[in-house]
Amino acid sequence: EAGVAQSPRYKIIEKRQSVAFWCNPISGHATLYWYQQILGQGPKLLIQFQNNGVVDDSQLPKDRFSAERLKGVDSTLKIQPAKLEDSAVYLCARVLNSGSFIPGELFFGEGSRLTVL
Amino acid sequence: GDSVTQMEGPVTLSEEAFLTINCTYTATGYPSLFWYVQYPGEGLQLLLKATKADDKGSNKGFEATYRKETTSFHLEKGSVQVSDSAVYFCALNTNAGKSTFGDGTTLTVKP
């Protein structure tokens, strides 16, 4: 199975600016996740998609974060306006094996590292 | 809510030493348990898993046993190598879709 493509790998912006991250699970997996990983912490779920519908966005700060997955393939995560505390790595993930899905068995992309100055 | 607690790092060992990284959890229901590893400059990848009590997950010489009575999933390896230097994350999933991760333990193995 192919991987998860993310871009950009690195982004530096000033606070109050906006930024967008892109993810493609490549093999067309139905379930897609966005996680936020702050330095020194484990990943925390921001949003889960099933095809192009949202399954769980309870931990997404909706006043500044938004995400979409048009056509159920690639996805975009946007932050507007950014705050200093948004500095983190944003990870996109899909299920590891679509043929034998075990909840929590995930394949991660390499992530997009955001620095907010 | 669900939570995962890992032993604090960093952990520094000499090559061929025995490794234990402790992980305990709190969860409603019966979670699946995982260890993920992040090598320097790379993304998170699944190391091993266990889906029910008393299951032992194993991969690349690493093992962890799902202990329901102690709510633990400790990671062990009998003889570590320099190439095992990485950050290790314990995680759980309660079939609700959302995975909960620990804060990671950094392992450095010296030759």
Side-chain angles (χ1 to χ4, degrees), chain B residues 15-36:
Chain B
E15 209 165 20
E16 300 183 2
F18 184 85
L19 168 71
T20 299
I21 300 178
N22 290 337
C23 170
T24 57
Y25 67 90
T26 302
T28 54
Y30 302 96
S32 294
L33 301 174
F34 306 85
W35 278 99
Y36 284 83

Side-chain angles (χ1 to χ4, degrees), chain A residues 33-63:
Chain A
Y33 309 80
W34 282 102
Y35 281 83
Q36 180 192 57
Q37 185 178 13
I38 293 172
L39 185 65
Q41 300 181 18
K44 289 181 173 54
L45 181 70
L46 291 175
I47 189 168
Q48 177 188 349
F49 290 97
Q50 182 75 17
N51 295 309
N52 60 347
V54 175
V55 174
D56 184 351
D57 64 356
S58 57
Q59 298 191 88
L60 187 74
K62 298 181 185 65
D63 58 333

Side-chain angles (χ1 to χ4, degrees), chain B residues 1-97:
Chain B
D2 299 342
S3 67
V4 175
T5 302
Q6 291 183 231
M7 67 182 283
E8 293 189 14
V11 175
T12 303
L13 296 173
S14 297
E15 209 165 20
E16 300 183 2
F18 184 85
L19 168 71
T20 299
I21 300 178
N22 290 337
C23 170
T24 57
Y25 67 90
T26 302
T28 54
Y30 302 96
S32 294
L33 301 174
F34 306 85
W35 278 99
Y36 284 83
V37 59
Q38 191 168 32
Y39 297 105
E42 298 184 17
L44 269 169
Q45 55 186 277
L46 181 67
L47 179 60
L48 54 83
K49 65 181 184 288
T51 58
K52 60 183 186 296
D54 300 325
D55 269 2
K56 178 184 286 187
S58 61
N59 186 25
K60 299 182 180 180
F62 290 88
E63 293 183 339
T65 300
Y66 189 141
R67 301 288 188 199
K68 187 170 181 291
E69 63 277 12
T70 55
T71 61
S72 65
F73 193 55
H74 305 321
L75 182 68
E76 296 181 337
K77 186 174 186 182
S79 176
V80 293
Q81 305 301 312
V82 172
S83 57
D84 294 325
S85 297
V87 183
Y88 292 83
F89 294 89
C90 185
L92 67 82
N93 188 291
T94 54
N95 292 332

